[in-house]
Amino acid sequence: MAAIDNDWLGPLGVEFKKPYYKVLYDKVRSEYTTHVVFPPAEDIFNAFSLTPLGRVKVLILGQDPYHEPGQAHGLSFSVRPGIDIPPSLENIYKELHDDLGCYVPDNGYLEKWAKQGVMLLNTVLTVRNHQANSHKGIGWEEFTDAAIRILNEQDRPIVYMLWGRPAQAKVPMLDNPKHLILTAPHPSPLSAYRGFFGCRHFSKANDFLIKHGVEPIDWQIENIRV
């Protein structure tokens, strides 16, 4: 697995020394040796490496990585250029269009968000090929909960976008009065019409950041094809 080597390392370093993490590390190494696992091992911690702790403005929390070949690259909801846009991300783009007027791009590559301070974190960071939730319960949740607690301790404005019940289960961990918690149904086609569409989380996040003197997010993902 790739290492975390930015300002996340200090507060997260204690997790690497805990017994659960050794079990998790050994399990993940074994899985990569014996099965096809996503994302590529060097991409597991991309959410941390692309969005340093000191730059996090928004947390968008997903569940586990995409489980089909070529999709997952360590950022929740994102896929690399050239990969079909998954249905949940299509719905995110629809809401962005209705909320902020962003055009729907030809790709699902969200690295631009990550580099602006939008942490795209899954609660579970690996998955077996074709087997959704196959790495649920092996220890990743304890690790990512630690990351969420670290964010909760940050003494600056941060927005949490929690879509669907698993993400909203983290609300009791978030008690910092300087932070904004936004909740809505998941953008999946199964639930987006129950209140994700029309939630206006993107404009609400930017309004909150601007109100507190923080540069807002440019949510427009540009087309790649000319």
Side-chain angles (χ1 to χ4, degrees):
M1 289 191 283
I4 294 174
D5 60 3
N6 58 17
D7 61 352
W8 277 105
L9 184 57
L12 273 178
V14 294
E15 301 301 312
F16 298 129
K17 300 171 185 175
K18 293 181 178 179
Y20 86 87
Y21 193 84
K22 184 182 187 310
V23 174
L24 169 63
Y25 182 84
D26 290 344
K27 173 68 173 177
V28 170
R29 280 192 66 179
S30 173
E31 285 285 296
Y32 274 91
T33 302
T34 57
H35 296 85
V36 176
V37 176
F38 304 125
E42 64 271 18
D43 290 339
I44 291 174
F45 292 122
N46 273 354
F48 296 90
S49 61
L50 289 170
T51 313
L53 174 59
R55 294 192 61 198
V56 176
K57 300 177 182 179
V58 178
L59 174 69
I60 297 180
L61 192 63
Q63 290 177 247
D64 67 333
Y66 295 125
H67 53 269
E68 297 300 323
Q71 291 184 308
H73 67 104
L75 302 179
S76 62
F77 296 103
S78 179
V79 291
R80 289 199 183 277
I83 302 297
D84 289 344
I85 301 172
S88 291
L89 183 53
E90 285 186 350
N91 286 338
I92 290 170
Y93 283 161
K94 287 177 185 176
E95 175 60 20
L96 263 172
H97 172 74
D98 293 344
D99 186 9
L100 290 173
C102 297
Y103 67 80
V104 176
D106 61 11
N107 68 93
Y109 192 45
L110 305 182
E111 186 179 81
K112 175 183 175 180
W113 292 359
K115 289 183 173 180
Q116 291 183 82
V118 180
M119 189 173 193
L120 298 165
L121 182 67
N122 284 311
T123 55
V124 174
L125 301 186
T126 55
V127 68
R128 280 189 192 177
N129 184 31
H130 304 314
Q131 297 182 47
N133 289 317
S134 48
H135 285 178
K136 181 180 179 180
I138 68 171
W140 280 127
E141 294 91 342
E142 189 165 351
F143 181 78
T144 54
D145 277 359
I148 293 168
R149 290 191 185 96
I150 290 165
L151 285 173
N152 182 61
E153 294 167 359
Q154 301 305 298
D155 187 29
R156 65 178 195 276
I158 294 177
V159 181
Y160 302 87
M161 295 185 183
L162 305 177
W163 301 331
R165 289 181 182 175
Q168 290 163 26
K170 309 300 181 183
V171 169
M173 300 166 56
L174 303 172
D175 58 4
N176 190 323
K178 292 190 175 182
H179 297 175
L180 175 65
I181 300 170
L182 300 173
T183 62
H186 196 275
S188 157
L190 298 174
S191 55
Y193 287 94
R194 297 177 192 159
F196 176 77
F197 289 137
C199 71
R200 300 184 63 84
H201 279 188
F202 304 100
S203 61
K204 289 176 181 177
N206 276 357
D207 289 347
F208 176 81
L209 294 174
I210 292 168
K211 179 182 176 182
H212 290 88
V214 179
E215 183 78 17
I217 305 300
D218 176 7
W219 293 103
Q220 179 67 68
I221 299 296
E222 286 82 14
N223 287 336
I224 290 177
R225 292 190 294 270
V226 178

